[in-house]
Amino acid sequence: ATGTAFTLGDSGDTFTVPSGATITNSGTATGFGGGKVLQVVQTRWTGQSSTSSSSYTATPLASFQRTITPSATSSNVLIMAVLSVGMSTETDHTYLKMYRDSTQINMGDQLGSSRDRGTWNQKLGTNMGSMEPNPILYYDTEISTTSSVTYSFQVKTASVTAYFNQDNTGSDSAGYLTTASTLICIEIGA
């Protein structure tokens, strides 16, 4: 029926969709209950990069991003990530910011007028040959689009070099390691 609202069946009725049939929704589906996983996409970054930049830059983490296209404007996205980071010395920090397209997300409240807002900062201990896996968890409830969105990160350092997916040393030795970093985006139906 075109341009006419109608009710299909009565309370208690059962509608059976036979095997091999397909239901295609070109509009907005409501009333089916939320909390369902609608899609899962992943980026597994196995390469290495480093930075000594004192300004936020996306370049070292260009391979550590993921695009997802929500199937409904009411959907949310659960982001689960682990980023492996090593540093050249223990003298100072590495800082990370998280973005949905060009909008910064997953940051702390403003405290004072000079303190930066970000996702995490890291300062390693005395064994600078080690790497730390940094978990990132965020449930994005402010998407409201069916266009593609990209989750990405920017990083800066303070008086250190940050190494991603590798120990800080360049030595080719059994005592050192390369790792992978993983970024998973899960669309959840609202």
Side-chain angles (χ1 to χ4, degrees), residues 35-44 65-71 75-81 139 149 151 182-189:
K36 304 285 191 269
V37 173
L38 303 179
Q39 65 172 310
V40 179
V41 294
Q42 171 184 268
T43 290
R44 184 170 169 268
Q65 58 180 286
R66 184 66 223 195
T67 297
I68 186 170
T69 303
S71 56
S75 292
N76 302 316
V77 175
L78 173 63
I79 297 105
M80 300 186 300
Y139 190 58
V149 293
Y151 292 96
T182 303
L183 172 60
I184 301 171
C185 298
I186 303 172
E187 181 186 359
I188 306 294

Side-chain angles (χ1 to χ4, degrees), residues 51-107:
T51 184
S52 301
S53 175
S54 59
S55 300
Y56 281 101
T57 174
T59 302
L61 301 177
S63 296
F64 189 65
Q65 58 180 286
R66 184 66 223 195
T67 297
I68 186 170
T69 303
S71 56
T73 57
S74 58
S75 292
N76 302 316
V77 175
L78 173 63
I79 297 105
M80 300 186 300
V82 174
L83 177 62
S84 294
V85 183
M87 291 195 301
S88 57
T89 71
E90 62 180 339
T91 56
D92 223 314
H93 297 256
T94 297
Y95 306 88
L96 188 82
K97 290 184 176 184
M98 183 176 182
Y99 290 84
R100 180 200 326 107
D101 294 331
S102 60
T103 302
Q104 187 183 350
I105 58 174
N106 194 17
M107 59 186 158

